[in-house]
Amino acid sequence: MGKTDSIHSSDFIRQIIKEDLRTNKYNRVHTRFPPEPNGYLHIGHAKSICLNFSIAKEFGGLCNLRFDDTNPTKEQSEYIESIMKDVRWLGFDWEDRLFYASDYFDKLYDYAVQLIKDGNAYIDSLSAQEIREYRGTLTEAGRDSPYRNRSVEENLDLFKRMRAGEFEDGTCVLRAKIDMSSTNLNMRDPVMYRILHSTHHRTGDKWCIYPMYDFAHGQSDSIEGITHSLCTLEFEDHRLLYDWFIEQLKIHHSQQIEFARLNISHTILSKRKLLQLVEEKYVNGWNDPRMPTISGLRRRGYTSEAIRDFCERIGVAKTYTVVDIALLEHCIREDLNLRAPRVMAVLRPLKLVIDNYPENKVEELDAVNNPEDDSMGTRKIPFSRVLYIERDDFQEEPQKKWFRLAPGREVRLKHAYIIKCERVIKDETGEVIELHCTYDPETKSGCAKAERKVKGTLHWVSAGHSIKAEIRLYDYLFLKSNPDDVEEGSDFKANLNPSSLETLTSCRIEPSLADAKSGTRYQFLRLGYFCVDIDSSDEKLIFNRTVSLRDTWAKIQKAQK
Ligand code: ATP
Ligand code: MG
């Protein structure tokens, strides 16, 4: 297989696929990403998307996007739109292969009829509760339903009447006739169809019976000619059932392969729980920058490249793991370090007056946009007598090893001069509200004479030229590494971090950012990476902090070496 030679990474899934091609089990590779449109995609889905689309590409195959829309009771069109947008944004293309499980309802119905005719399925009139009771447990065999031996004719007639709408929801179901004593509970006559008098977003009121996920999923793969059906481990026990359906129906066999789902520390990856956070307003919608959704990460400032890089680094395996969220942060830092222009912004401004700088003088100083990349050029930043520095960069009574500003101390202002703090002005409460300094004109950055060294360098903006902005700082949404670790009687929301969002409304940014377009990313010197929010406007500039500069992942790596 010449076309597989270029595949470097060889996880167990790629190994299996290579082997399947070698033995001619399949002579092509066709995967799919099958989201249920009942929520927005999260970073866990990104792992599956990257895996499916990348494998298809590496093996010269195809990858479909298929909506698993077998459950009509959940609102869906908003989710469908967002899912398509997110997959595209991540950089993948399903071309003309967009499918819906609901496209196969007719075919699935025919398959069900075929199974009834072959004596492999029956209509059960037990209640849902009774079916559960008859099912048995892991240690106890199930019991046959009294309706299990209905004749083929009776079953066909009842199934037709189920479809025709003659019965109320819950009166009967279609079940596969397999083995009520199987050690695999999924094989104990699983339900294939249930009655739901409910309008479906695509098929409208055409159907009042709907296939169960377990009856739809494997057959949908088969219908689309999927060769390798990659899914997460919780479906391992279902594989036997999927294979059974396919064998009985004598249709194309897709090979299911399971891998461990992605878990990340301090993070919830369950649509059901994320929906709860949205509905109960713990966050501001699915795309809240604190959410682990693709749309949340995008709004926060993550790039698709960083997310793909993350998915590649975590790899695929079968064992349960929790990935440290520091790795995800490391990936975005690494990406933005090279790409984001470095500018100056002050989060909590403290006024600083340079007493020996002329009143009306303005200097346009040169600043490099990114020392990692000369091609990003330079820009001018205005320097004047009145500036803002970071409140946290001044201590009246400095702690040990304090290299920032304090009375009588010197620091360098980035791209500008060395200044010395001469005098402090306080308000009636004793709070420092203004610093008076002097500057040394001989120390201008970039000039030969600027050699004099001081230990601290601060960022700053010119008060008269800077622009006001709102800056939103984010912390982990959950305090505990495992948000599901709670005491009995409470749930994951007990671990929500009450300070996950801090909104600063009187920040000042350098004037070059006046026209910053939503989605643009910057490094604010010494503060982190920031991204212009989608709600930002000319009237009100809003930035989200994507990630701080401190790289705990790099530290972990170093400690391990
Ligand atoms: P959730 O538990 O968040 O509701 P789900 O598995 O029900 O997720 P689906 O829409 O059914 O969501 O998932 C689509 C695909 O994404 C499936 O193939 C599923 O296995 C995969 N997937 C979902 N969550 C993860 C995860 N955390 N890691 C890897 N793959 C995942
Ligand atoms: Mg699901």
Side-chain angles (χ1 to χ4, degrees), residues 105-113 159-160 163 193 207:
F105 281 174
D106 283 300
K107 191 117 197 185
L108 292 169
Y109 182 84
D110 292 343
Y111 285 156
V113 169
F159 193 45
K160 225 180 257 169
R163 178 185 184 169
Y193 267 90
W207 297 91

Side-chain angles (χ1 to χ4, degrees), residues 77-93:
S77 57
E78 176 196 351
Y79 297 140
I80 286 176
E81 291 305 314
S82 76
I83 289 169
M84 294 201 284
K85 179 176 174 180
D86 289 350
V87 175
R88 279 203 195 95
W89 180 76
L90 280 173
F92 299 106
D93 186 1

Side-chain angles (χ1 to χ4, degrees), residues 8-157:
H8 306 298
S9 72
S10 235
D11 49 68
F12 81 99
I13 294 181
R14 287 168 168 95
Q15 298 276 354
I16 293 173
I17 295 178
K18 276 186 202 168
E19 187 62 12
D20 285 350
L21 291 172
R22 194 185 65 79
T23 60
N24 251 334
K25 178 170 172 180
Y26 301 105
N27 58 9
R28 64 198 169 83
V29 172
H30 201 152
T31 57
R32 82 289 171 268
F33 173 63
E36 188 183 344
N38 61 350
Y40 281 58
L41 296 181
H42 53 61
I43 180 94
H45 295 114
K47 172 176 179 175
S48 175
I49 294 167
C50 290
L51 186 65
N52 279 293
F53 280 94
S54 304
I55 281 182
K57 191 169 174 199
E58 288 165 27
F59 286 91
L62 302 170
C63 181
N64 297 356
L65 175 62
R66 181 202 320 139
F67 288 106
D68 239 315
D69 58 349
T70 47
N71 185 347
T73 56
K74 303 196 181 134
E75 195 225 337
Q76 302 185 315
S77 57
E78 176 196 351
Y79 297 140
I80 286 176
E81 291 305 314
S82 76
I83 289 169
M84 294 201 284
K85 179 176 174 180
D86 289 350
V87 175
R88 279 203 195 95
W89 180 76
L90 280 173
F92 299 106
D93 186 1
W94 56 88
E95 296 169 327
D96 58 351
R97 294 177 309 281
L98 170 63
F99 301 109
Y100 295 83
S102 57
D103 292 343
Y104 310 137
F105 281 174
D106 283 300
K107 191 117 197 185
L108 292 169
Y109 182 84
D110 292 343
Y111 285 156
V113 169
Q114 188 183 332
L115 289 174
I116 296 174
K117 283 184 178 162
D118 292 343
N120 283 324
Y122 62 99
I123 303 293
D124 197 351
S125 303
L126 291 180
S127 70
Q129 171 66 24
E130 286 166 327
I131 289 180
R132 260 194 302 279
E133 283 164 16
Y134 274 71
R135 197 162 174 242
T137 63
L138 279 172
T139 52
E140 202 185 311
R143 283 176 294 144
D144 287 359
S145 161
Y147 302 98
R148 198 173 197 257
N149 291 316
R150 276 174 162 153
S151 70
V152 168
E153 289 68 37
E154 189 182 0
N155 283 323
L156 283 173
D157 176 60

